[in-house]
Amino acid sequence: MILRFILIALGLYIVYKVIFSLVIPIFRTTQKIRRQFGDMHQQMQDQMNATQNGHAGTQPQSAGPEPKKTRTGDYIDFEEVK
């Protein structure tokens, strides 16, 4: 009788530890990863829609061509000698 009670209690303890140490953390992690993938997918969709509409990633065009930058100072052109 007492041995049966001890085995049942030990079995319940093992089931409890497996559920709360393994099953629930895996379930929570899976939900978190799915949510993050959903958020990334939504962001990508938003970016693609904005790009197709011409709103995102566009830089304002300047009225004229950019002036060439000239280097001032000493610059020596060299060739590699073998």
Side-chain angles (χ1 to χ4, degrees):
M1 181 80 170
I2 293 198
L3 181 61
R4 183 175 177 212
F5 176 75
I6 291 173
L7 288 176
I8 291 173
L10 185 62
L12 290 174
Y13 176 74
I14 290 172
V15 169
Y16 171 82
K17 287 301 262 185
V18 167
I19 288 174
F20 285 98
S21 297
L22 185 67
V23 175
I24 291 177
I26 289 174
F27 179 73
R28 286 182 180 171
T29 303
T30 303
Q31 281 185 333
K32 185 177 179 181
I33 289 172
R34 283 184 183 166
R35 190 176 333 113
Q36 288 176 345
F37 272 111
D39 291 345
M40 283 195 304
H41 181 70
Q42 185 63 37
Q43 286 177 352
M44 286 176 43
Q45 289 292 83
D46 292 344
Q47 286 178 349
M48 296 220 5
N49 290 339
T51 302
Q52 288 176 355
N53 293 336
H55 297 303
T58 58
Q59 296 178 355
Q61 299 275 338
S62 60
E66 293 182 17
K68 287 189 174 183
K69 296 181 181 178
T70 57
R71 292 187 176 200
T72 56
D74 295 330
Y75 179 76
I76 301 171
D77 194 9
F78 68 95
E79 294 182 13
E80 187 174 331
V81 178
K82 293 183 179 182

